Amino acid sequence: MLFWIKIGQVVIAILLMVAILLQNRGTGVGGVFAGTGGVYLTKRGIEKKLHIATIVLAVLFVVFSLLVFRFNS
């Protein structure tokens, strides 16, 4: 059981990293390290779905981390 929880945690971690990196609105690599200074107040379409998916993945990652902690102790 612990093996599958750890595998799930790794998969969720990879998906979370991809979701976070896809949310960047900057141009090119420079936008990753220094923002362009633009202010975006609303999310629409795919951006909103990606934002919600990131929140869900983060919550799942925390839950899986707590499960790993629970089964190891």
Side-chain angles (χ1 to χ4, degrees), residues 4-5 8-9 12 59-69:
W4 292 111
I5 293 174
Q9 186 179 21
I12 290 172
V59 169
L60 284 174
F61 183 78
V62 170
V63 168
F64 272 61
S65 297
L66 292 173
L67 286 173
V68 168
F69 178 73

Side-chain angles (χ1 to χ4, degrees), residues 1 4 10 14 18 23 26-27 31-32 35 41 46 50 53 61-62 67-68 70 73:
M1 176 85 162
W4 292 111
V10 170
I14 292 169
V18 169
Q23 287 187 26
T27 56
V32 173
L41 299 176
I46 192 73
L50 190 60
F61 183 78
V62 170
L67 286 173
V68 168
R70 167 74 167 94
S73 55

Side-chain angles (χ1 to χ4, degrees), residues 32-57:
V32 173
F33 300 108
T36 58
V39 176
Y40 303 102
L41 299 176
T42 60
K43 296 182 186 322
R44 295 181 184 152
I46 192 73
E47 292 174 350
K48 187 173 183 178
K49 289 179 175 72
L50 190 60
H51 180 72
I52 292 170
T54 304
I55 293 170
V56 169
L57 287 169

